[in-house]
Amino acid sequence: NNLILTIAIGDLSDDQEDITSFALSCDDEVQKCLTSRALLLKQWDWRQANCTRSWRAIHTVPVASMTFDSTSTLLATGGCDGTIKLWDVVKHYCTHNLKGSSGVVHLVQFHPNTDLLQLFSSSLDCGIRIWDLRSSQCVCVLQSHYSAVTSLSFSPDGNAMVSSGRDKICTVWDLKTRKAKRTVPVYEAVEGVVILPGSTDLAEIRVKSKDLHFITAGSKGVLRVWEASTARCVYTQTLPSTLPSASEEDENDNPRSLTYLFHLPASARLATVTAEHNILLYQLPALTTQQQFVGYSDEVLDVKFLGKGDSHIVVATNSCQLKVFELLTNSCQILYGHTDTVLTLDVFKKGSLFASCAKDRSVRVWHMDSDSGQVRCVAQGSGHTNAVGSISCSRMKASFVATGSQDCTVKVWDLPADCSAEGGIHQLTARATEKAHDKDVNSVAVSPNDKLLASGSQDRTAKLWSLTGEGTVSLLGVFRGHRRGVWAVCFSPVDQVLATTSADGTAKLWSLQDFSCLKTFEGHDASVLKVIFVSRGTQLLTSGSDGLVKLWTIKTNECVKTLDAHQDKVWGLHASRKDDKMVTGSADSNITVWSDVTEIELAEEQAKQEDQILKQQELSNLLHGKKYLKALGLAISLDQPHTVLTVIKVIQKFPYFFLLFSWIHSESVLRYCVVWNTNARNCLNAQAVLQVLLTHLPPEELLQYQGARSHLEGLIPYTERHMQRIGRLLQASMFLNYMWQKMRVAGGPSR
């Protein structure tokens, strides 16, 4: 259970090399071991996410497999050099070096009975070797498979074992006689096998006897339960999809094919991993889907908020599947339906219905149940002759969707009135089709009143269409001005303007009245891919191929914020219905949810100003009450050098002046002294403070202050200049005194 959690919440590797194998200790407490192509074994305390020890693996080539024994004290590693090494994890040394396997040892597993001290392994010769760890010898080779052995599962008593392989068979072994009891043809390449516990009531999956039953996972993408004694499949998992299971021809490319299966006995669950790196948890005994995690998103092509209160997001990745994430738990639903890469999404006003379009030339409408959160396909339509790259939903009510395609046409599809009701999948028909542009249509948008449609194309133009005609769309005008293809179009929610973005690196605002360009926003260094209005239509958000998201104030044409969280093209950009959050999705596989902190920052700034006013009043009271010590500390905390200087001029006359800086923040005072020292009028006060600092603070502590060296360097030239000036003044006064002494008053008596 904890392993799944670890994969879901973080990355434990600090190595730049590829990880070739990893294993988690059986007690879930001590460590996770992994190895990389650098031939290093690393032991992790995964709860603290820190590496506790690393050592050389001794293998001369990368480690292909590893496993812990049930006591978590022994670790076995199988190398690509055909050797198996056993490690004492507690005392950190190699205990066995087992040779004899041919080629890569891709499977190692301990017998569950630790008293037997047996290790099972498999390599390229498709045999299963049994090693006696007392003698370090191979005592038997079990031959049955003609392709790679992928998984081993032991019965609770340890007397039987089931092996699976890519040769589409599973073999039941009697470990006492070391003979094959039965070969079960399963008609699919099997990647994982688990013997079901005999003590559990599994009648829901048609396990009706106490005989040995096992479950398989493989290229068909479904879990199947088999009875070992009769070699019969007693239960096949039903796929949560409208599509049939994979045929024999396309099993190798089936995105649902399962690559791993293991049992979680403590919680009576099964965990599977799909070919698209998704982790699915099934609850026994009914094999109901409990949770899904997405291990890898590939390139994110679009992302939209979904559900009541924008509690979910729906994501289109470089895949024919859609992924719906619950933001609170990161749990995911995987939606099947499209047969090629999904390109774009859009959500209807209420948030429970959304539409998708794909390279398979089809459009699908999906409905999310407000109570359970489950999503199902409720309508589909096809009619385009090329990939459908853009889609937009009606804004006032769920009545139609508009699509734009690489076939240069725009289509409007009417939705049935009972679209979200329980039932089958409705077939959509296009009420209007129009040859809209000379090149690919990259974007379409429906106006807030559902009467207008805008389209943007690779032909460098955007066009405005009327949707009020029966069965037709009529052209109202053309927006010309971009130097490259138009990537996105978006209507303002409050004004009669249209925003467009282009591969020329600009975003533009256009008037819907005369089709003139009102404003141009320049700032992106590459193509601007998406644009949306936020802050009640007063600001724009744009995302670009440079990985940046920029916030623009329309009135001033100014970019007020640049968000840099992505390393690649930002294809997805959407704001929540409350306008307080936005989500971005990028080709770097990352999805980022942003919160609007404008009001929070304003509240913080207001609170800060109120605090400043209160402190300023307190400072005035302290000065009026001649409480100079407290006033000095408060003036420094308020960063008011002039007030500090005024207080110092007063307290400099006091006899205890030299004791003041034992509790005052001297770092700020040193900074003030540098400024005061530049002025001949204040230099004596600065020098007096410096005398106190240099007398009472050791040089080591003084140099630890931020910028202390530069401050001291700034003090030296002005101090030397003041000393020279005082020296000249002293010489002049001495000469004047000498002259005064030698002068005689005219007519006076002589001395």
Side-chain angles (χ1 to χ4, degrees), residues 30-335:
V30 184
Q31 65 268 326
K32 168 180 182 273
C33 269
L34 55 86
T35 180
S36 69
R37 291 190 182 277
L39 305 181
L40 280 176
L41 280 166
K42 294 198 173 186
Q43 183 176 317
W44 292 75
D45 178 350
W46 64 268
R47 293 184 187 277
Q48 301 298 324
N50 65 330
C51 181
T52 57
R53 183 172 175 267
S54 64
W55 68 97
R56 300 293 296 180
I58 304 179
H59 291 278
T60 56
V61 289
V63 174
S65 58
M66 62 168 55
T67 187
F68 283 94
D69 74 336
S70 57
T71 64
S72 299
T73 56
L74 282 179
L75 173 72
T77 58
C80 294
D81 55 2
T83 64
I84 301 169
K85 291 176 172 54
L86 271 75
W87 307 83
D88 187 315
V89 178
V90 178
K91 297 181 180 178
H92 304 140
Y93 68 93
C94 180
T95 62
H96 297 73
N97 185 16
L98 309 178
K99 298 180 179 179
S101 301
S102 58
V104 177
V105 181
H106 59 264
L107 179 64
V108 286
Q109 196 160 336
F110 286 95
H111 193 284
N113 186 350
T114 55
D115 295 333
L116 294 178
L117 280 177
Q118 286 183 348
L119 178 73
F120 291 71
S121 71
S122 182
S123 59
L124 290 182
D125 61 4
C126 307
I128 302 169
R129 283 178 165 77
I130 304 177
W131 302 86
D132 182 359
L133 300 184
R134 290 186 177 89
S135 62
S136 298
Q137 297 296 318
C138 176
V139 296
C140 182
V141 180
L142 306 179
Q143 296 285 358
S144 173
H145 293 277
Y146 296 95
S147 186
V149 178
T150 55
S151 179
L152 303 176
S153 182
F154 296 90
S155 62
D157 59 9
N159 294 328
M161 179 184 76
V162 177
S163 63
S164 65
R166 297 195 181 111
D167 52 6
K168 304 188 179 182
I169 64 168
C170 289
T171 305
V172 183
W173 302 89
D174 185 339
L175 294 182
K176 287 185 175 179
T177 62
R178 295 172 184 166
K179 300 288 184 183
K181 291 170 62 176
R182 182 174 287 277
T183 298
V184 181
V186 294
Y187 309 109
E188 67 169 333
V190 182
E191 296 292 336
V193 63
V194 166
I195 293 179
L196 291 171
S199 57
T200 310
D201 181 11
L202 300 172
E204 291 187 60
I205 51 175
R206 299 173 192 164
V207 176
K208 299 177 181 178
S209 67
K210 295 296 182 181
D211 294 338
L212 187 70
H213 288 75
F214 59 90
I215 192 164
T216 59
S219 57
K220 289 183 183 294
V222 294
L223 298 177
R224 296 193 290 172
V225 180
W226 301 81
E227 188 175 37
S229 59
T230 61
R232 187 169 55 91
C233 178
V234 297
Y235 178 81
T236 301
Q237 182 188 26
T238 304
L239 289 174
S241 167
T242 57
L243 292 180
S245 59
S247 63
E248 193 168 337
E249 289 77 12
D250 60 5
E251 274 184 13
N252 293 333
D253 299 324
N254 181 15
R256 299 184 195 181
S257 64
L258 303 175
T259 60
Y260 203 70
L261 169 70
F262 60 95
H263 185 212
L264 306 170
S267 57
R269 290 187 294 178
L270 292 171
T272 64
V273 181
T274 70
E276 292 213 333
H277 313 287
N278 302 323
I279 302 168
L280 289 83
L281 298 183
Y282 296 102
Q283 187 69 51
L284 289 172
L287 285 184
T288 52
T289 305
Q290 190 187 50
Q291 275 183 302
Q292 299 182 67
F293 298 100
V294 174
Y296 180 57
S297 292
D298 204 356
E299 189 172 347
V300 179
L301 301 181
D302 205 0
V303 59
K304 292 285 190 289
F305 282 106
L306 183 67
K308 188 178 180 180
D310 296 319
S311 57
H312 295 68
I313 56 173
V314 55
V315 182
T317 62
N318 197 12
S319 163
C320 57
Q321 302 149 27
L322 288 169
K323 300 177 178 71
V324 178
F325 293 90
E326 185 179 3
L327 290 174
L328 199 60
T329 63
N330 278 347
S331 185
C332 174
Q333 291 179 62
I334 301 170
L335 308 181

Side-chain angles (χ1 to χ4, degrees), residues 6-28:
T6 307
I7 293 171
I9 64 174
D11 180 9
L12 291 185
S13 173
D14 61 354
D15 204 332
Q16 298 301 316
E17 292 282 341
D18 292 340
I19 296 171
T20 58
S21 183
F22 77 95
L24 188 74
S25 59
C26 298
D27 56 12
D28 284 354

Side-chain angles (χ1 to χ4, degrees), residues 327-396:
L327 290 174
L328 199 60
T329 63
N330 278 347
S331 185
C332 174
Q333 291 179 62
I334 301 170
L335 308 181
Y336 298 92
H338 287 287
T339 56
D340 206 341
T341 304
V342 181
L343 297 174
T344 316
L345 306 163
D346 199 20
V347 182
F348 288 93
K349 185 177 181 180
K350 291 186 178 179
S352 59
L353 271 179
F354 66 96
S356 62
C357 59
K359 283 185 179 180
D360 61 8
R361 309 176 187 179
S362 72
V363 179
R364 283 182 178 262
V365 179
W366 310 78
H367 177 255
M368 170 183 274
D369 186 89
S370 57
D371 298 324
S372 66
Q374 293 299 309
V375 181
R376 62 186 181 88
C377 181
V378 294
Q380 66 174 352
S382 57
H384 284 286
T385 59
N386 209 330
V388 187
S390 57
I391 193 165
S392 182
C393 299
S394 55
R395 299 302 171 205
M396 298 186 73

